[in-house]
Amino acid sequence: MIKLTDLLKELDLRGGDLDENVTLEQVLLAFVEDFQIPEDEFFEDDELIPGAIFNPRILKKSVIIADGEYEFIVPSSYRGTLYLVNTKGTSLDTYVIGQVEVEKIYINASSGRTKPYRLPGAEIHLTYVSPKYRGKGLGIKMYTMLLEAYKTIFSDNILYPGSWNLWISKLAPIGLQSGNFIGGEVGGIIVPFTPEDISNSDLMMGIGVDHLILSTEPPQVLLDIKEALSGLSLSKGDYGIYESTTKLKVTELDAVVDQSASIEEVIEGADLMQMVGLNDDDNYPVIIVATQDALAVVREVGDDVILEII
């Protein structure tokens, strides 16, 4: 029997929907293997035995998050695969109704994978909903349950169209609420998205977003970035993201800013290179600069150029 996680590595899923590439039987086979349930009680020749009664009390499980009759559960030895179950289900195929591959993101590199600004959360890679339960809003429920559990969720680095539409149409409005954050990891920097960004998916896909980010408990640094770029849109070319080619420190950038009369002079004087932006001629009223020790916003205000450290 091939494990679901091994199968996913072999499939080119990014051009379509996971539901079109993985069968319910494969998900259920992975479930019984992960939870160390005797396979022959529910399968014969890798096909589900119709009507086989399933008793969830046999499971050695941990509940990640619950919402009414639905739970996300994992085996006692958590390995990154979460299963969405309907606690009222009486057979294997009515109990296990969804699956998601999640990679936890940690504050410290010693614990595991990290993100810019040591932002903890969970990166969602692949999701699956049983055919019986599709069209009933379980896709968005899976994401909102994960958001409740981890407070900050990240998209995979390449989204297939169904997930992209879900993020933009269903999840982004949550991030636009007061106190929350919706944005993207772009060139190693996290930037906020405006309603204009979100409503124009063609522009969003064209600026090179590595990961989408949604947080209901954003750290202060994300709120500071959101405030510093309030009203500005990356997809409309209101600002560009730059990095130093010489490992510039923020104090050195500040000295260049003091001697410059325009952002163009700052870019030249600090030897900055554009990572992401829509203007090839460096013609921006605002730029974000990733220095060696800080993130800085440089903007033209009248005849002056000012620097803000985030």
Side-chain angles (χ1 to χ4, degrees), residues 16-61:
D17 195 312
L18 176 59
D19 294 339
E20 299 172 355
N21 295 276
V22 175
T23 67
L24 176 62
E25 283 74 16
Q26 289 165 338
V27 171
L28 296 180
L29 281 167
F31 177 84
V32 298
E33 180 175 343
D34 283 348
F35 284 90
Q36 299 182 345
I37 302 170
E39 181 182 322
D40 57 6
E41 293 185 11
F42 300 97
F43 290 91
E44 184 175 347
D45 296 328
D46 287 348
E47 292 189 5
L48 186 66
I49 300 174
I53 301 299
F54 177 74
N55 183 0
R57 293 183 179 179
I58 67 175
L59 297 178
K60 295 180 180 180
K61 63 183 175 69

Side-chain angles (χ1 to χ4, degrees), residues 88 156 198 232:
K88 295 183 178 181
D156 199 355
I198 294 165
L232 301 180

